[in-house]
Amino acid sequence: MYFVDRSVAVIKPKAPFLDWLNKVPDNDMVDLSLEALRSDCTVILLPEFNEPEEGVAYIDEIYEQLFKMELASWYEDDALWPTDLSLKAFWEWFDVEIHSTVIDSVDDDLTNSPALQ
């Protein structure tokens, strides 16, 4: 096992995200719950930080990309997305957990895939 020189953020949808999903036309996810949405969340690597506040500040810098990535993971058609993609809306729609320790338990090299836009 190896320490990785990164921190990590877990992006957890909140009720407004579920409300949006439920209002999308032709939504067939009638049994989707907030608990289910929050059980398997996006995790992103961040630069290594000493204080959680530094991680939050970094999230503030990249929030728009994260917001769009989360919306696109459900619906690629941005015409279906909410119109307010502000920083304030991001924090209303998502909880973010910042964790400072990342350990790689796999001996293989990491592979990169194309970045999400």
Side-chain angles (χ1 to χ4, degrees):
M1 289 198 221
Y2 306 93
F3 282 97
V4 179
D5 62 345
R6 298 284 186 269
S7 296
V8 69
V10 181
I11 313 298
K12 293 187 170 193
K14 293 166 56 173
F17 191 89
L18 179 61
D19 294 343
W20 165 72
L21 282 175
N22 287 329
K23 291 177 186 171
V24 172
D26 300 322
N27 175 356
D28 61 354
M29 298 173 280
V30 293
D31 294 331
L32 188 62
S33 68
L34 188 57
E35 182 178 317
L37 271 179
R38 293 171 63 92
S39 68
D40 184 16
C41 301
T42 301
V43 177
I44 63 166
L45 293 174
L46 307 175
E48 193 171 26
F49 296 115
N50 293 322
E51 300 295 330
E53 294 79 12
E54 294 174 272
V56 171
Y58 186 80
I59 294 295
D60 283 351
E61 293 175 21
I62 64 169
Y63 84 89
E64 188 173 7
Q65 185 179 5
L66 293 173
F67 209 155
K68 289 177 179 180
M69 179 184 68
E70 288 295 315
L71 297 170
S73 72
W74 290 89
Y75 292 100
E76 290 184 9
D77 181 359
D78 62 2
L80 299 173
W81 295 358
T83 55
D84 182 4
L85 299 180
S86 65
L87 178 61
K88 181 179 183 289
F90 175 83
W91 287 107
E92 290 170 352
W93 282 47
F94 301 96
D95 284 326
V96 178
E97 294 179 359
I98 305 291
H99 301 276
S100 61
T101 303
V102 178
I103 298 174
D104 190 346
S105 67
V106 180
D107 285 334
D108 296 338
D109 289 337
L110 292 173
T111 56
N112 293 325
S113 61
L116 298 174
Q117 299 299 321

PDB file of all heavy atoms in Angstrom, residues 17-52:
ATOM      1  N   PHE A  17     -31.088  18.115  -5.759  1.00  0.00           N
ATOM      2  CA  PHE A  17     -30.662  17.301  -6.904  1.00  0.00           C
ATOM      3  C   PHE A  17     -31.720  16.242  -7.205  1.00  0.00           C
ATOM      4  O   PHE A  17     -32.111  16.049  -8.361  1.00  0.00           O
ATOM      5  CB  PHE A  17     -29.309  16.650  -6.611  1.00  0.00           C
ATOM      6  CG  PHE A  17     -28.667  16.014  -7.812  1.00  0.00           C
ATOM      7  CD1 PHE A  17     -27.842  16.757  -8.639  1.00  0.00           C
ATOM      8  CD2 PHE A  17     -28.881  14.688  -8.128  1.00  0.00           C
ATOM      9  CE1 PHE A  17     -27.240  16.184  -9.756  1.00  0.00           C
ATOM     10  CE2 PHE A  17     -28.301  14.102  -9.234  1.00  0.00           C
ATOM     11  CZ  PHE A  17     -27.474  14.854 -10.056  1.00  0.00           C
ATOM     12  N   LEU A  18     -32.193  15.564  -6.177  1.00  0.00           N
ATOM     13  CA  LEU A  18     -33.246  14.558  -6.358  1.00  0.00           C
ATOM     14  C   LEU A  18     -34.517  15.212  -6.888  1.00  0.00           C
ATOM     15  O   LEU A  18     -35.171  14.664  -7.783  1.00  0.00           O
ATOM     16  CB  LEU A  18     -33.521  13.825  -5.045  1.00  0.00           C
ATOM     17  CG  LEU A  18     -34.625  12.769  -5.093  1.00  0.00           C
ATOM     18  CD1 LEU A  18     -34.284  11.657  -6.081  1.00  0.00           C
ATOM     19  CD2 LEU A  18     -34.858  12.203  -3.695  1.00  0.00           C
ATOM     20  N   ASP A  19     -34.861  16.375  -6.368  1.00  0.00           N
ATOM     21  CA  ASP A  19     -36.051  17.093  -6.854  1.00  0.00           C
ATOM     22  C   ASP A  19     -35.930  17.377  -8.343  1.00  0.00           C
ATOM     23  O   ASP A  19     -36.886  17.205  -9.103  1.00  0.00           O
ATOM     24  CB  ASP A  19     -36.251  18.397  -6.090  1.00  0.00           C
ATOM     25  CG  ASP A  19     -36.592  18.179  -4.619  1.00  0.00           C
ATOM     26  OD1 ASP A  19     -36.991  17.049  -4.249  1.00  0.00           O
ATOM     27  OD2 ASP A  19     -36.438  19.142  -3.846  1.00  0.00           O
ATOM     28  N   TRP A  20     -34.743  17.824  -8.778  1.00  0.00           N
ATOM     29  CA  TRP A  20     -34.519  18.075 -10.209  1.00  0.00           C
ATOM     30  C   TRP A  20     -34.683  16.790 -11.012  1.00  0.00           C
ATOM     31  O   TRP A  20     -35.374  16.788 -12.045  1.00  0.00           O
ATOM     32  CB  TRP A  20     -33.120  18.671 -10.424  1.00  0.00           C
ATOM     33  CG  TRP A  20     -32.684  18.625 -11.855  1.00  0.00           C
ATOM     34  CD1 TRP A  20     -33.165  19.386 -12.884  1.00  0.00           C
ATOM     35  CD2 TRP A  20     -31.710  17.750 -12.422  1.00  0.00           C
ATOM     36  NE1 TRP A  20     -32.530  19.035 -14.055  1.00  0.00           N
ATOM     37  CE2 TRP A  20     -31.634  18.044 -13.797  1.00  0.00           C
ATOM     38  CE3 TRP A  20     -30.878  16.762 -11.895  1.00  0.00           C
ATOM     39  CZ2 TRP A  20     -30.771  17.374 -14.660  1.00  0.00           C
ATOM     40  CZ3 TRP A  20     -30.015  16.102 -12.748  1.00  0.00           C
ATOM     41  CH2 TRP A  20     -29.980  16.411 -14.113  1.00  0.00           C
ATOM     42  N   LEU A  21     -34.077  15.702 -10.556  1.00  0.00           N
ATOM     43  CA  LEU A  21     -34.200  14.431 -11.277  1.00  0.00           C
ATOM     44  C   LEU A  21     -35.663  14.030 -11.425  1.00  0.00           C
ATOM     45  O   LEU A  21     -36.084  13.561 -12.482  1.00  0.00           O
ATOM     46  CB  LEU A  21     -33.444  13.320 -10.543  1.00  0.00           C
ATOM     47  CG  LEU A  21     -31.941  13.282 -10.685  1.00  0.00           C
ATOM     48  CD1 LEU A  21     -31.350  12.194  -9.792  1.00  0.00           C
ATOM     49  CD2 LEU A  21     -31.524  13.068 -12.128  1.00  0.00           C
ATOM     50  N   ASN A  22     -36.428  14.220 -10.375  1.00  0.00           N
ATOM     51  CA  ASN A  22     -37.841  13.833 -10.410  1.00  0.00           C
ATOM     52  C   ASN A  22     -38.680  14.711 -11.324  1.00  0.00           C
ATOM     53  O   ASN A  22     -39.771  14.308 -11.729  1.00  0.00           O
ATOM     54  CB  ASN A  22     -38.430  13.836  -8.992  1.00  0.00           C
ATOM     55  CG  ASN A  22     -37.930  12.658  -8.180  1.00  0.00           C
ATOM     56  OD1 ASN A  22     -37.648  11.589  -8.722  1.00  0.00           O
ATOM     57  ND2 ASN A  22     -37.805  12.856  -6.886  1.00  0.00           N
ATOM     58  N   LYS A  23     -38.191  15.918 -11.637  1.00  0.00           N
ATOM     59  CA  LYS A  23     -38.944  16.831 -12.513  1.00  0.00           C
ATOM     60  C   LYS A  23     -38.544  16.726 -13.982  1.00  0.00           C
ATOM     61  O   LYS A  23     -39.214  17.299 -14.842  1.00  0.00           O
ATOM     62  CB  LYS A  23     -38.746  18.277 -12.036  1.00  0.00           C
ATOM     63  CG  LYS A  23     -39.421  18.558 -10.713  1.00  0.00           C
ATOM     64  CD  LYS A  23     -39.140  19.966 -10.255  1.00  0.00           C
ATOM     65  CE  LYS A  23     -39.714  20.175  -8.854  1.00  0.00           C
ATOM     66  NZ  LYS A  23     -39.288  21.450  -8.280  1.00  0.00           N
ATOM     67  N   VAL A  24     -37.480  16.004 -14.294  1.00  0.00           N
ATOM     68  CA  VAL A  24     -37.050  15.863 -15.685  1.00  0.00           C
ATOM     69  C   VAL A  24     -38.128  15.081 -16.443  1.00  0.00           C
ATOM     70  O   VAL A  24     -38.572  14.041 -15.975  1.00  0.00           O
ATOM     71  CB  VAL A  24     -35.681  15.151 -15.774  1.00  0.00           C
ATOM     72  CG1 VAL A  24     -35.323  14.839 -17.220  1.00  0.00           C
ATOM     73  CG2 VAL A  24     -34.603  15.998 -15.124  1.00  0.00           C
ATOM     74  N   PRO A  25     -38.547  15.603 -17.620  1.00  0.00           N
ATOM     75  CA  PRO A  25     -39.575  14.894 -18.395  1.00  0.00           C
ATOM     76  C   PRO A  25     -39.149  13.471 -18.732  1.00  0.00           C
ATOM     77  O   PRO A  25     -37.977  13.190 -18.972  1.00  0.00           O
ATOM     78  CB  PRO A  25     -39.693  15.740 -19.675  1.00  0.00           C
ATOM     79  CG  PRO A  25     -39.110  17.067 -19.331  1.00  0.00           C
ATOM     80  CD  PRO A  25     -38.084  16.823 -18.253  1.00  0.00           C
ATOM     81  N   ASP A  26     -40.114  12.588 -18.748  1.00  0.00           N
ATOM     82  CA  ASP A  26     -39.906  11.171 -19.080  1.00  0.00           C
ATOM     83  C   ASP A  26     -38.952  10.463 -18.131  1.00  0.00           C
ATOM     84  O   ASP A  26     -38.300   9.491 -18.513  1.00  0.00           O
ATOM     85  CB  ASP A  26     -39.419  11.011 -20.532  1.00  0.00           C
ATOM     86  CG  ASP A  26     -40.410  11.574 -21.533  1.00  0.00           C
ATOM     87  OD1 ASP A  26     -41.632  11.413 -21.308  1.00  0.00           O
ATOM     88  OD2 ASP A  26     -39.973  12.191 -22.518  1.00  0.00           O
ATOM     89  N   ASN A  27     -38.870  10.950 -16.909  1.00  0.00           N
ATOM     90  CA  ASN A  27     -38.043  10.306 -15.893  1.00  0.00           C
ATOM     91  C   ASN A  27     -38.692   8.976 -15.514  1.00  0.00           C
ATOM     92  O   ASN A  27     -39.855   8.929 -15.153  1.00  0.00           O
ATOM     93  CB  ASN A  27     -37.924  11.226 -14.675  1.00  0.00           C
ATOM     94  CG  ASN A  27     -37.176  10.597 -13.523  1.00  0.00           C
ATOM     95  OD1 ASN A  27     -36.794   9.433 -13.573  1.00  0.00           O
ATOM     96  ND2 ASN A  27     -36.975  11.351 -12.479  1.00  0.00           N
ATOM     97  N   ASP A  28     -37.935   7.909 -15.583  1.00  0.00           N
ATOM     98  CA  ASP A  28     -38.467   6.589 -15.236  1.00  0.00           C
ATOM     99  C   ASP A  28     -37.874   6.050 -13.929  1.00  0.00           C
ATOM    100  O   ASP A  28     -37.959   4.871 -13.642  1.00  0.00           O
ATOM    101  CB  ASP A  28     -38.227   5.595 -16.371  1.00  0.00           C
ATOM    102  CG  ASP A  28     -36.760   5.395 -16.686  1.00  0.00           C
ATOM    103  OD1 ASP A  28     -35.917   6.101 -16.101  1.00  0.00           O
ATOM    104  OD2 ASP A  28     -36.457   4.521 -17.527  1.00  0.00           O
ATOM    105  N   MET A  29     -37.307   6.933 -13.119  1.00  0.00           N
ATOM    106  CA  MET A  29     -36.663   6.518 -11.870  1.00  0.00           C
ATOM    107  C   MET A  29     -37.587   6.787 -10.687  1.00  0.00           C
ATOM    108  O   MET A  29     -37.233   7.494  -9.753  1.00  0.00           O
ATOM    109  CB  MET A  29     -35.337   7.265 -11.693  1.00  0.00           C
ATOM    110  CG  MET A  29     -34.335   6.972 -12.768  1.00  0.00           C
ATOM    111  SD  MET A  29     -32.862   7.999 -12.649  1.00  0.00           S
ATOM    112  CE  MET A  29     -33.444   9.508 -13.396  1.00  0.00           C
ATOM    113  N   VAL A  30     -38.762   6.215 -10.697  1.00  0.00           N
ATOM    114  CA  VAL A  30     -39.768   6.519  -9.677  1.00  0.00           C
ATOM    115  C   VAL A  30     -39.359   6.077  -8.278  1.00  0.00           C
ATOM    116  O   VAL A  30     -39.822   6.641  -7.296  1.00  0.00           O
ATOM    117  CB  VAL A  30     -41.134   5.901 -10.046  1.00  0.00           C
ATOM    118  CG1 VAL A  30     -41.700   6.577 -11.278  1.00  0.00           C
ATOM    119  CG2 VAL A  30     -41.018   4.399 -10.245  1.00  0.00           C
ATOM    120  N   ASP A  31     -38.511   5.080  -8.180  1.00  0.00           N
ATOM    121  CA  ASP A  31     -38.125   4.565  -6.867  1.00  0.00           C
ATOM    122  C   ASP A  31     -36.799   5.124  -6.365  1.00  0.00           C
ATOM    123  O   ASP A  31     -36.290   4.666  -5.346  1.00  0.00           O
ATOM    124  CB  ASP A  31     -38.048   3.036  -6.908  1.00  0.00           C
ATOM    125  CG  ASP A  31     -39.405   2.402  -7.139  1.00  0.00           C
ATOM    126  OD1 ASP A  31     -40.416   3.012  -6.732  1.00  0.00           O
ATOM    127  OD2 ASP A  31     -39.458   1.313  -7.736  1.00  0.00           O
ATOM    128  N   LEU A  32     -36.241   6.087  -7.054  1.00  0.00           N
ATOM    129  CA  LEU A  32     -34.961   6.642  -6.655  1.00  0.00           C
ATOM    130  C   LEU A  32     -35.130   7.470  -5.380  1.00  0.00           C
ATOM    131  O   LEU A  32     -35.985   8.335  -5.293  1.00  0.00           O
ATOM    132  CB  LEU A  32     -34.381   7.512  -7.769  1.00  0.00           C
ATOM    133  CG  LEU A  32     -32.962   7.998  -7.576  1.00  0.00           C
ATOM    134  CD1 LEU A  32     -31.991   6.817  -7.498  1.00  0.00           C
ATOM    135  CD2 LEU A  32     -32.564   8.916  -8.724  1.00  0.00           C
ATOM    136  N   SER A  33     -34.300   7.174  -4.395  1.00  0.00           N
ATOM    137  CA  SER A  33     -34.354   7.902  -3.115  1.00  0.00           C
ATOM    138  C   SER A  33     -33.062   8.684  -2.920  1.00  0.00           C
ATOM    139  O   SER A  33     -32.040   8.405  -3.555  1.00  0.00           O
ATOM    140  CB  SER A  33     -34.530   6.923  -1.959  1.00  0.00           C
ATOM    141  OG  SER A  33     -33.363   6.135  -1.804  1.00  0.00           O
ATOM    142  N   LEU A  34     -33.127   9.641  -2.024  1.00  0.00           N
ATOM    143  CA  LEU A  34     -31.926  10.406  -1.695  1.00  0.00           C
ATOM    144  C   LEU A  34     -30.872   9.480  -1.097  1.00  0.00           C
ATOM    145  O   LEU A  34     -29.686   9.603  -1.398  1.00  0.00           O
ATOM    146  CB  LEU A  34     -32.269  11.544  -0.736  1.00  0.00           C
ATOM    147  CG  LEU A  34     -31.153  12.533  -0.453  1.00  0.00           C
ATOM    148  CD1 LEU A  34     -30.629  13.161  -1.740  1.00  0.00           C
ATOM    149  CD2 LEU A  34     -31.638  13.608   0.506  1.00  0.00           C
ATOM    150  N   GLU A  35     -31.306   8.549  -0.288  1.00  0.00           N
ATOM    151  CA  GLU A  35     -30.371   7.585   0.307  1.00  0.00           C
ATOM    152  C   GLU A  35     -29.633   6.796  -0.781  1.00  0.00           C
ATOM    153  O   GLU A  35     -28.419   6.602  -0.707  1.00  0.00           O
ATOM    154  CB  GLU A  35     -31.118   6.624   1.224  1.00  0.00           C
ATOM    155  CG  GLU A  35     -30.227   5.619   1.920  1.00  0.00           C
ATOM    156  CD  GLU A  35     -31.014   4.714   2.858  1.00  0.00           C
ATOM    157  OE1 GLU A  35     -31.887   5.213   3.591  1.00  0.00           O
ATOM    158  OE2 GLU A  35     -30.727   3.506   2.846  1.00  0.00           O
ATOM    159  N   ALA A  36     -30.345   6.382  -1.814  1.00  0.00           N
ATOM    160  CA  ALA A  36     -29.712   5.645  -2.917  1.00  0.00           C
ATOM    161  C   ALA A  36     -28.742   6.538  -3.675  1.00  0.00           C
ATOM    162  O   ALA A  36     -27.649   6.110  -4.029  1.00  0.00           O
ATOM    163  CB  ALA A  36     -30.780   5.093  -3.858  1.00  0.00           C
ATOM    164  N   LEU A  37     -29.147   7.793  -3.914  1.00  0.00           N
ATOM    165  CA  LEU A  37     -28.255   8.737  -4.609  1.00  0.00           C
ATOM    166  C   LEU A  37     -26.959   8.956  -3.846  1.00  0.00           C
ATOM    167  O   LEU A  37     -25.899   9.095  -4.435  1.00  0.00           O
ATOM    168  CB  LEU A  37     -28.939  10.099  -4.749  1.00  0.00           C
ATOM    169  CG  LEU A  37     -29.784  10.367  -5.962  1.00  0.00           C
ATOM    170  CD1 LEU A  37     -30.389  11.759  -5.880  1.00  0.00           C
ATOM    171  CD2 LEU A  37     -28.997  10.205  -7.241  1.00  0.00           C
ATOM    172  N   ARG A  38     -27.053   8.992  -2.528  1.00  0.00           N
ATOM    173  CA  ARG A  38     -25.895   9.297  -1.691  1.00  0.00           C
ATOM    174  C   ARG A  38     -25.071   8.059  -1.332  1.00  0.00           C
ATOM    175  O   ARG A  38     -24.041   8.175  -0.684  1.00  0.00           O
ATOM    176  CB  ARG A  38     -26.352  10.016  -0.424  1.00  0.00           C
ATOM    177  CG  ARG A  38     -26.908  11.413  -0.725  1.00  0.00           C
ATOM    178  CD  ARG A  38     -27.559  12.055   0.479  1.00  0.00           C
ATOM    179  NE  ARG A  38     -26.632  12.290   1.562  1.00  0.00           N
ATOM    180  CZ  ARG A  38     -25.948  13.420   1.753  1.00  0.00           C
ATOM    181  NH1 ARG A  38     -26.086  14.430   0.907  1.00  0.00           N
ATOM    182  NH2 ARG A  38     -25.135  13.557   2.775  1.00  0.00           N
ATOM    183  N   SER A  39     -25.511   6.882  -1.774  1.00  0.00           N
ATOM    184  CA  SER A  39     -24.805   5.655  -1.393  1.00  0.00           C
ATOM    185  C   SER A  39     -23.611   5.344  -2.301  1.00  0.00           C
ATOM    186  O   SER A  39     -22.710   4.609  -1.900  1.00  0.00           O
ATOM    187  CB  SER A  39     -25.762   4.472  -1.375  1.00  0.00           C
ATOM    188  OG  SER A  39     -26.185   4.161  -2.693  1.00  0.00           O
ATOM    189  N   ASP A  40     -23.607   5.873  -3.513  1.00  0.00           N
ATOM    190  CA  ASP A  40     -22.500   5.631  -4.449  1.00  0.00           C
ATOM    191  C   ASP A  40     -22.203   6.957  -5.141  1.00  0.00           C
ATOM    192  O   ASP A  40     -22.776   7.268  -6.180  1.00  0.00           O
ATOM    193  CB  ASP A  40     -22.884   4.559  -5.466  1.00  0.00           C
ATOM    194  CG  ASP A  40     -21.729   4.206  -6.400  1.00  0.00           C
ATOM    195  OD1 ASP A  40     -20.560   4.540  -6.086  1.00  0.00           O
ATOM    196  OD2 ASP A  40     -21.994   3.605  -7.455  1.00  0.00           O
ATOM    197  N   CYS A  41     -21.315   7.726  -4.567  1.00  0.00           N
ATOM    198  CA  CYS A  41     -21.092   9.109  -4.989  1.00  0.00           C
ATOM    199  C   CYS A  41     -19.789   9.268  -5.757  1.00  0.00           C
ATOM    200  O   CYS A  41     -18.897   8.428  -5.698  1.00  0.00           O
ATOM    201  CB  CYS A  41     -21.055  10.018  -3.757  1.00  0.00           C
ATOM    202  SG  CYS A  41     -22.572   9.954  -2.807  1.00  0.00           S
ATOM    203  N   THR A  42     -19.699  10.399  -6.419  1.00  0.00           N
ATOM    204  CA  THR A  42     -18.480  10.762  -7.134  1.00  0.00           C
ATOM    205  C   THR A  42     -17.383  11.117  -6.132  1.00  0.00           C
ATOM    206  O   THR A  42     -17.624  11.838  -5.167  1.00  0.00           O
ATOM    207  CB  THR A  42     -18.744  11.969  -8.048  1.00  0.00           C
ATOM    208  OG1 THR A  42     -19.787  11.628  -8.968  1.00  0.00           O
ATOM    209  CG2 THR A  42     -17.489  12.385  -8.794  1.00  0.00           C
ATOM    210  N   VAL A  43     -16.201  10.607  -6.381  1.00  0.00           N
ATOM    211  CA  VAL A  43     -15.036  10.934  -5.565  1.00  0.00           C
ATOM    212  C   VAL A  43     -13.993  11.517  -6.508  1.00  0.00           C
ATOM    213  O   VAL A  43     -13.696  10.941  -7.550  1.00  0.00           O
ATOM    214  CB  VAL A  43     -14.473   9.672  -4.867  1.00  0.00           C
ATOM    215  CG1 VAL A  43     -13.222  10.004  -4.080  1.00  0.00           C
ATOM    216  CG2 VAL A  43     -15.531   9.045  -3.974  1.00  0.00           C
ATOM    217  N   ILE A  44     -13.449  12.677  -6.139  1.00  0.00           N
ATOM    218  CA  ILE A  44     -12.444  13.300  -6.989  1.00  0.00           C
ATOM    219  C   ILE A  44     -11.161  13.508  -6.198  1.00  0.00           C
ATOM    220  O   ILE A  44     -11.196  13.773  -4.995  1.00  0.00           O
ATOM    221  CB  ILE A  44     -12.924  14.627  -7.607  1.00  0.00           C
ATOM    222  CG1 ILE A  44     -13.209  15.663  -6.532  1.00  0.00           C
ATOM    223  CG2 ILE A  44     -14.140  14.421  -8.475  1.00  0.00           C
ATOM    224  CD1 ILE A  44     -13.348  17.053  -7.077  1.00  0.00           C
ATOM    225  N   LEU A  45     -10.061  13.363  -6.903  1.00  0.00           N
ATOM    226  CA  LEU A  45      -8.765  13.648  -6.294  1.00  0.00           C
ATOM    227  C   LEU A  45      -8.514  15.149  -6.335  1.00  0.00           C
ATOM    228  O   LEU A  45      -8.816  15.811  -7.324  1.00  0.00           O
ATOM    229  CB  LEU A  45      -7.653  12.913  -7.034  1.00  0.00           C
ATOM    230  CG  LEU A  45      -7.666  11.395  -6.919  1.00  0.00           C
ATOM    231  CD1 LEU A  45      -6.594  10.792  -7.817  1.00  0.00           C
ATOM    232  CD2 LEU A  45      -7.475  10.953  -5.488  1.00  0.00           C
ATOM    233  N   LEU A  46      -7.968  15.664  -5.257  1.00  0.00           N
ATOM    234  CA  LEU A  46      -7.638  17.077  -5.123  1.00  0.00           C
ATOM    235  C   LEU A  46      -6.148  17.195  -4.831  1.00  0.00           C
ATOM    236  O   LEU A  46      -5.515  16.225  -4.413  1.00  0.00           O
ATOM    237  CB  LEU A  46      -8.398  17.692  -3.941  1.00  0.00           C
ATOM    238  CG  LEU A  46      -9.904  17.531  -3.868  1.00  0.00           C
ATOM    239  CD1 LEU A  46     -10.423  18.105  -2.558  1.00  0.00           C
ATOM    240  CD2 LEU A  46     -10.563  18.194  -5.046  1.00  0.00           C
ATOM    241  N   PRO A  47      -5.599  18.380  -4.995  1.00  0.00           N
ATOM    242  CA  PRO A  47      -4.225  18.568  -4.517  1.00  0.00           C
ATOM    243  C   PRO A  47      -4.156  18.257  -3.019  1.00  0.00           C
ATOM    244  O   PRO A  47      -5.164  18.352  -2.309  1.00  0.00           O
ATOM    245  CB  PRO A  47      -3.957  20.053  -4.773  1.00  0.00           C
ATOM    246  CG  PRO A  47      -4.935  20.445  -5.828  1.00  0.00           C
ATOM    247  CD  PRO A  47      -6.148  19.593  -5.595  1.00  0.00           C
ATOM    248  N   GLU A  48      -3.000  17.904  -2.570  1.00  0.00           N
ATOM    249  CA  GLU A  48      -2.810  17.585  -1.157  1.00  0.00           C
ATOM    250  C   GLU A  48      -2.991  18.855  -0.314  1.00  0.00           C
ATOM    251  O   GLU A  48      -2.420  19.894  -0.629  1.00  0.00           O
ATOM    252  CB  GLU A  48      -1.414  17.007  -0.952  1.00  0.00           C
ATOM    253  CG  GLU A  48      -1.199  16.362   0.374  1.00  0.00           C
ATOM    254  CD  GLU A  48       0.125  15.618   0.420  1.00  0.00           C
ATOM    255  OE1 GLU A  48       1.062  15.978  -0.325  1.00  0.00           O
ATOM    256  OE2 GLU A  48       0.226  14.670   1.211  1.00  0.00           O
ATOM    257  N   PHE A  49      -3.815  18.758   0.731  1.00  0.00           N
ATOM    258  CA  PHE A  49      -4.076  19.891   1.611  1.00  0.00           C
ATOM    259  C   PHE A  49      -3.795  19.508   3.045  1.00  0.00           C
ATOM    260  O   PHE A  49      -3.932  18.347   3.430  1.00  0.00           O
ATOM    261  CB  PHE A  49      -5.545  20.330   1.516  1.00  0.00           C
ATOM    262  CG  PHE A  49      -5.940  20.846   0.164  1.00  0.00           C
ATOM    263  CD1 PHE A  49      -6.867  20.176  -0.616  1.00  0.00           C
ATOM    264  CD2 PHE A  49      -5.391  22.019  -0.335  1.00  0.00           C
ATOM    265  CE1 PHE A  49      -7.231  20.650  -1.857  1.00  0.00           C
ATOM    266  CE2 PHE A  49      -5.754  22.511  -1.585  1.00  0.00           C
ATOM    267  CZ  PHE A  49      -6.679  21.823  -2.344  1.00  0.00           C
ATOM    268  N   ASN A  50      -3.440  20.509   3.851  1.00  0.00           N
ATOM    269  CA  ASN A  50      -3.247  20.295   5.279  1.00  0.00           C
ATOM    270  C   ASN A  50      -4.522  20.555   6.069  1.00  0.00           C
ATOM    271  O   ASN A  50      -4.738  19.952   7.111  1.00  0.00           O
ATOM    272  CB  ASN A  50      -2.126  21.194   5.807  1.00  0.00           C
ATOM    273  CG  ASN A  50      -0.783  20.804   5.230  1.00  0.00           C
ATOM    274  OD1 ASN A  50      -0.496  19.635   5.058  1.00  0.00           O
ATOM    275  ND2 ASN A  50       0.030  21.798   4.917  1.00  0.00           N
ATOM    276  N   GLU A  51      -5.346  21.472   5.569  1.00  0.00           N
ATOM    277  CA  GLU A  51      -6.572  21.854   6.271  1.00  0.00           C
ATOM    278  C   GLU A  51      -7.770  21.623   5.355  1.00  0.00           C
ATOM    279  O   GLU A  51      -7.717  21.948   4.171  1.00  0.00           O
ATOM    280  CB  GLU A  51      -6.517  23.339   6.664  1.00  0.00           C
ATOM    281  CG  GLU A  51      -5.368  23.690   7.585  1.00  0.00           C
ATOM    282  CD  GLU A  51      -5.474  23.032   8.953  1.00  0.00           C
ATOM    283  OE1 GLU A  51      -6.612  22.795   9.413  1.00  0.00           O
ATOM    284  OE2 GLU A  51      -4.428  22.736   9.549  1.00  0.00           O
ATOM    285  N   PRO A  52      -8.881  21.102   5.890  1.00  0.00           N
ATOM    286  CA  PRO A  52     -10.083  20.891   5.071  1.00  0.00           C
ATOM    287  C   PRO A  52     -10.566  22.161   4.372  1.00  0.00           C
ATOM    288  O   PRO A  52     -11.088  22.102   3.258  1.00  0.00           O
ATOM    289  CB  PRO A  52     -11.117  20.393   6.076  1.00  0.00           C
ATOM    290  CG  PRO A  52     -10.338  19.858   7.216  1.00  0.00           C
ATOM    291  CD  PRO A  52      -9.061  20.647   7.265  1.00  0.00           C
TER     292      PRO A  52
END
